[in-house]
Amino acid sequence: QQTCQTGRCAIAMHILSWSGTLGAFSPLNSTPISANNARVVIADLDDDGILEVSLSLTPAFDTAQGPQRRSTEMWDWDGQNYRLAVVEIEAPVYRIHALHDADMLLEQGDLEGAIRLYDKVRDDAALQPWNVANEAFVLRAYAGMRKMIAQAANDARRSANATYAALESENPAGTPGQVYVTLAKSFIDAFNRTRSPAQACAEVFETAQERPDALIPLNSYGYGNRAYTFADLCPFREREG
Protein backbone atom coordinates (compact mmCIF):
# COMPACT_ATOMS: atom_id res chain seq x y z
CA GLN A 1 0.00 0.00 0.00
CA GLN A 2 1.36 3.42 -0.94
CA THR A 3 0.03 6.87 -0.15
CA CYS A 4 1.60 10.06 -1.45
CA GLN A 5 1.20 13.67 -0.44
CA THR A 6 3.19 16.77 -1.48
CA GLY A 7 5.90 14.69 -3.09
CA ARG A 8 6.36 12.25 -0.19
CA CYS A 9 5.21 8.67 -0.40
CA ALA A 10 4.68 6.31 2.51
CA ILE A 11 4.45 2.55 2.03
CA ALA A 12 3.08 -0.14 4.30
CA MET A 13 3.75 -3.75 3.28
CA HIS A 14 1.89 -6.83 4.46
CA ILE A 15 3.06 -10.29 3.40
CA LEU A 16 0.09 -12.67 3.37
CA SER A 17 -0.37 -16.41 3.01
CA TRP A 18 -3.62 -18.18 2.20
CA SER A 19 -4.78 -20.51 4.96
CA GLY A 20 -7.10 -23.23 3.68
CA THR A 21 -7.98 -24.12 7.28
CA LEU A 22 -9.05 -20.61 8.16
CA GLY A 23 -10.38 -19.81 4.71
CA ALA A 24 -8.59 -16.45 4.85
CA PHE A 25 -5.23 -14.79 4.38
CA SER A 26 -2.93 -14.70 7.40
CA PRO A 27 0.06 -12.34 7.82
CA LEU A 28 3.62 -13.61 7.56
CA ASN A 29 5.14 -10.44 9.01
CA SER A 30 4.18 -9.76 12.62
CA THR A 31 6.34 -6.61 12.58
CA PRO A 32 5.02 -3.89 10.25
CA ILE A 33 7.12 -3.17 7.17
CA SER A 34 6.80 0.54 6.53
CA ALA A 35 8.96 3.31 5.14
CA ASN A 36 8.91 6.71 3.51
CA ASN A 37 10.25 7.39 0.02
CA ALA A 38 11.40 3.81 -0.45
CA ARG A 39 11.97 1.67 -3.53
CA VAL A 40 10.75 -1.89 -2.96
CA VAL A 41 12.30 -4.98 -4.53
CA ILE A 42 10.89 -8.48 -4.01
CA ALA A 43 13.38 -11.13 -5.14
CA ASP A 44 15.55 -14.02 -4.01
CA LEU A 45 18.37 -11.70 -3.06
CA ASP A 46 20.61 -14.24 -1.33
CA ASP A 47 19.93 -17.20 -3.69
CA ASP A 48 18.46 -19.43 -0.99
CA GLY A 49 15.24 -20.20 -2.86
CA ILE A 50 13.14 -17.89 -0.67
CA LEU A 51 11.91 -14.45 -1.64
CA GLU A 52 13.19 -11.49 0.36
CA VAL A 53 11.94 -7.91 0.51
CA SER A 54 14.43 -5.07 0.04
CA LEU A 55 13.58 -1.44 0.77
CA SER A 56 15.95 1.26 -0.46
CA LEU A 57 15.20 4.44 1.48
CA THR A 58 16.07 7.91 0.21
CA PRO A 59 14.92 10.47 2.78
CA ALA A 60 13.22 13.59 1.50
CA PHE A 61 15.08 16.82 2.22
CA ASP A 62 13.67 18.49 5.31
CA THR A 63 15.77 20.89 7.38
CA ALA A 64 13.70 20.12 10.48
CA GLN A 65 14.58 16.44 10.07
CA GLY A 66 18.29 17.22 9.97
CA PRO A 67 20.99 15.54 7.88
CA GLN A 68 19.98 12.12 6.55
CA ARG A 69 21.58 9.08 4.96
CA ARG A 70 20.28 6.61 2.41
CA SER A 71 19.80 3.11 3.76
CA THR A 72 18.64 -0.35 2.67
CA GLU A 73 16.59 -2.80 4.73
CA MET A 74 16.26 -6.49 3.86
CA TRP A 75 13.41 -8.52 5.34
CA ASP A 76 13.91 -12.30 5.23
CA TRP A 77 11.92 -15.41 6.16
CA ASP A 78 13.19 -17.15 9.33
CA GLY A 79 10.90 -20.16 9.13
CA GLN A 80 8.08 -18.55 11.09
CA ASN A 81 8.05 -14.89 10.20
CA TYR A 82 9.45 -12.25 7.91
CA ARG A 83 11.88 -10.27 10.05
CA LEU A 84 14.27 -7.37 9.53
CA ALA A 85 17.50 -9.27 8.79
CA VAL A 86 19.93 -6.64 7.46
CA VAL A 87 20.18 -2.86 7.62
CA GLU A 88 22.85 -1.18 5.51
CA ILE A 89 23.47 2.56 5.91
CA GLU A 90 25.64 4.54 3.54
CA ALA A 91 29.00 5.73 4.79
CA PRO A 92 28.83 9.02 6.72
CA VAL A 93 29.10 12.25 4.79
CA TYR A 94 28.29 14.49 7.73
CA ARG A 95 30.48 14.64 10.83
CA ILE A 96 27.53 13.99 13.13
CA HIS A 97 26.80 10.69 11.39
CA ALA A 98 30.41 9.54 11.84
CA LEU A 99 29.96 10.36 15.52
CA HIS A 100 26.72 8.37 15.69
CA ASP A 101 28.51 5.39 14.12
CA ALA A 102 31.39 5.68 16.60
CA ASP A 103 28.98 5.83 19.54
CA MET A 104 27.15 2.77 18.23
CA LEU A 105 30.41 0.80 18.02
CA LEU A 106 31.37 1.78 21.55
CA GLU A 107 27.96 0.76 22.86
CA GLN A 108 28.30 -2.59 21.05
CA GLY A 109 31.71 -3.20 22.62
CA ASP A 110 33.85 -2.67 19.50
CA LEU A 111 36.39 -0.51 21.33
CA GLU A 112 39.11 -0.43 18.68
CA GLY A 113 36.62 0.37 15.93
CA ALA A 114 35.09 3.13 18.05
CA ILE A 115 38.50 4.69 18.75
CA ARG A 116 39.29 4.77 15.03
CA LEU A 117 35.99 6.44 14.23
CA TYR A 118 36.37 9.00 17.03
CA ASP A 119 39.72 9.95 15.50
CA LYS A 120 37.94 10.33 12.16
CA VAL A 121 35.34 12.62 13.75
CA ARG A 122 38.10 14.72 15.26
CA ASP A 123 40.47 14.94 12.31
CA ASP A 124 38.82 14.10 8.96
CA ALA A 125 38.45 17.42 7.12
CA ALA A 126 36.33 15.76 4.41
CA LEU A 127 33.37 15.24 6.75
CA GLN A 128 30.66 17.83 6.17
CA PRO A 129 29.21 20.20 8.79
CA TRP A 130 25.59 20.88 9.64
CA ASN A 131 24.11 24.18 10.73
CA VAL A 132 24.96 23.86 14.44
CA ALA A 133 26.82 26.55 16.35
CA ASN A 134 30.50 25.74 17.04
CA GLU A 135 29.94 22.25 15.67
CA ALA A 136 33.57 21.45 14.84
CA PHE A 137 34.82 22.40 18.32
CA VAL A 138 31.97 20.70 20.16
CA LEU A 139 32.03 17.41 18.25
CA ARG A 140 35.81 17.27 18.41
CA ALA A 141 35.65 17.67 22.20
CA TYR A 142 32.84 15.13 22.63
CA ALA A 143 34.69 12.63 20.41
CA GLY A 144 37.82 13.15 22.51
CA MET A 145 35.90 12.38 25.69
CA ARG A 146 34.39 9.23 24.19
CA LYS A 147 37.75 8.12 22.81
CA MET A 148 39.18 8.42 26.33
CA ILE A 149 36.33 6.30 27.70
CA ALA A 150 36.92 3.64 25.02
CA GLN A 151 40.65 3.56 25.79
CA ALA A 152 39.98 3.16 29.51
CA ALA A 153 37.55 0.30 28.84
CA ASN A 154 40.18 -1.25 26.57
CA ASP A 155 42.73 -1.41 29.43
CA ALA A 156 44.80 1.41 27.91
CA ARG A 157 44.90 3.65 30.99
CA ARG A 158 48.03 5.53 29.93
CA SER A 159 46.47 6.35 26.55
CA ALA A 160 43.23 7.40 28.24
CA ASN A 161 45.10 9.79 30.52
CA ALA A 162 47.01 11.22 27.55
CA THR A 163 43.76 11.74 25.65
CA TYR A 164 42.29 13.54 28.64
CA ALA A 165 45.36 15.82 28.87
CA ALA A 166 45.00 16.71 25.18
CA LEU A 167 41.28 17.32 25.59
CA GLU A 168 41.87 19.64 28.53
CA SER A 169 44.54 21.55 26.59
CA GLU A 170 42.30 21.96 23.54
CA ASN A 171 39.25 23.18 25.47
CA PRO A 172 40.11 25.76 28.14
CA ALA A 173 37.46 27.38 30.31
CA GLY A 174 34.95 29.43 28.35
CA THR A 175 35.34 27.54 25.07
CA PRO A 176 32.45 25.64 23.39
CA GLY A 177 33.78 22.15 24.17
CA GLN A 178 34.73 22.75 27.79
CA VAL A 179 31.65 20.95 29.13
CA TYR A 180 33.07 17.67 27.83
CA VAL A 181 36.32 18.33 29.68
CA THR A 182 34.27 18.56 32.87
CA LEU A 183 32.57 15.23 32.15
CA ALA A 184 35.85 13.64 31.06
CA LYS A 185 37.53 14.72 34.28
CA SER A 186 34.81 13.10 36.36
CA PHE A 187 35.34 9.88 34.40
CA ILE A 188 39.13 9.75 34.43
CA ASP A 189 39.40 10.67 38.11
CA ALA A 190 36.97 7.92 39.06
CA PHE A 191 38.55 5.42 36.68
CA ASN A 192 42.07 6.06 37.99
CA ARG A 193 40.72 5.53 41.50
CA THR A 194 38.53 2.45 40.89
CA ARG A 195 39.72 0.94 37.57
CA SER A 196 36.02 0.44 36.81
CA PRO A 197 34.47 1.93 33.64
CA ALA A 198 31.01 1.38 35.14
CA GLN A 199 31.79 3.27 38.33
CA ALA A 200 33.45 6.02 36.30
CA CYS A 201 30.37 6.29 34.07
CA ALA A 202 28.23 6.63 37.19
CA GLU A 203 30.32 9.67 38.09
CA VAL A 204 29.78 11.11 34.60
CA PHE A 205 26.03 10.65 34.97
CA GLU A 206 26.02 12.50 38.29
CA THR A 207 28.15 15.34 36.91
CA ALA A 208 26.00 15.65 33.79
CA GLN A 209 22.91 16.39 35.86
CA GLU A 210 24.41 19.81 36.56
CA ARG A 211 25.42 20.36 32.92
CA PRO A 212 22.38 20.15 30.64
CA ASP A 213 24.46 22.01 28.05
CA ALA A 214 26.23 18.69 27.41
CA LEU A 215 23.13 17.44 25.57
CA ILE A 216 22.07 20.58 23.70
CA PRO A 217 24.55 20.38 20.79
CA LEU A 218 24.16 16.61 20.40
CA ASN A 219 20.39 17.01 20.11
CA SER A 220 20.51 19.87 17.61
CA TYR A 221 20.32 17.76 14.44
CA GLY A 222 16.59 17.51 13.90
CA TYR A 223 13.92 14.95 14.64
CA GLY A 224 15.36 12.48 12.12
CA ASN A 225 18.57 11.89 14.08
CA ARG A 226 19.50 10.23 17.34
CA ALA A 227 18.32 11.88 20.56
CA TYR A 228 20.74 11.66 23.50
CA THR A 229 19.97 11.44 27.22
CA PHE A 230 22.29 11.87 30.20
CA ALA A 231 22.61 8.09 30.41
CA ASP A 232 23.93 8.00 26.83
CA LEU A 233 26.94 10.18 27.62
CA CYS A 234 28.83 7.23 29.11
CA PRO A 235 27.79 3.73 27.99
CA PHE A 236 28.96 1.44 30.79
CA ARG A 237 26.60 0.51 33.59
CA GLU A 238 26.87 -1.16 36.98
CA ARG A 239 25.26 -4.60 37.01
CA GLU A 240 22.17 -4.70 39.16
CA GLY A 241 21.87 -7.38 41.81
Side-chain angles (χ1 to χ4, degrees):
Q1 298 169 322
Q2 178 170 264
T3 57
C4 297
Q5 186 175 11
T6 63
R8 299 182 186 180
C9 294
I11 66 162
M13 176 172 286
H14 306 275
I15 303 173
L16 305 176
S17 176
W18 176 257
S19 170
T21 303
L22 297 176
F25 286 100
S26 59
L28 296 181
N29 59 309
S30 58
T31 302
I33 301 176
S34 58
N36 294 320
N37 294 330
R39 182 173 64 88
V40 178
V41 174
I42 302 172
D44 184 5
L45 300 170
D46 54 8
D47 297 320
D48 63 353
I50 299 173
L51 294 176
E52 288 82 38
V53 177
S54 171
L55 286 78
S56 299
L57 294 86
T58 302
F61 180 76
D62 179 356
T63 54
Q65 190 177 24
Q68 297 295 296
R69 291 191 273 184
R70 290 189 296 271
S71 63
T72 300
E73 297 179 353
M74 188 178 81
W75 294 73
D76 199 0
W77 177 250
D78 67 1
Q80 295 182 322
N81 213 321
Y82 269 89
R83 61 179 178 83
L84 181 58
V86 178
V87 178
E88 296 179 348
I89 304 175
E90 71 176 352
V93 172
Y94 292 96
R95 194 171 305 277
I96 187 60
H97 289 155
L99 185 66
H100 289 165
D101 289 353
D103 282 347
M104 180 181 66
L105 291 180
L106 180 56
E107 289 155 9
Q108 292 174 345
D110 184 353
L111 303 176
E112 295 289 346
I115 290 167
R116 286 192 296 271
L117 261 186
Y118 287 129
D119 281 336
K120 182 180 179 70
V121 172
R122 285 171 55 81
D123 300 323
D124 190 340
L127 290 172
Q128 297 299 302
W130 192 248
N131 186 27
V132 173
N134 301 307
E135 180 189 49
F137 298 102
V138 170
L139 295 190
R140 180 176 173 84
Y142 174 83
M145 178 189 75
R146 297 282 288 198
K147 176 183 175 181
M148 177 202 70
I149 292 170
Q151 290 170 325
N154 203 32
D155 295 324
R157 188 163 65 95
R158 181 176 297 179
S159 296
N161 279 282
T163 297
Y164 172 74
L167 181 65
E168 186 178 40
S169 175
E170 293 171 359
N171 300 276
T175 56
Q178 195 275 332
V179 61
Y180 299 114
V181 178
T182 301
L183 300 183
K185 178 173 172 51
S186 68
F187 179 93
I188 201 67
D189 286 350
F191 181 77
N192 286 333
R193 186 175 67 253
T194 66
R195 303 293 195 272
S196 167
Q199 291 184 42
C201 277
E203 292 290 331
V204 172
F205 181 80
E206 292 300 320
T207 302
Q209 307 301 306
E210 306 299 323
R211 296 299 302 265
D213 52 324
L215 295 179
I216 292 171
L218 299 174
N219 292 335
S220 296
Y221 290 88
Y223 67 84
N225 282 285
R226 174 175 177 170
Y228 285 80
T229 67
F230 288 124
D232 295 323
L233 293 172
C234 201
F236 301 104
R237 303 284 183 272
E238 297 268 20
R239 292 185 179 179
E240 297 181 359

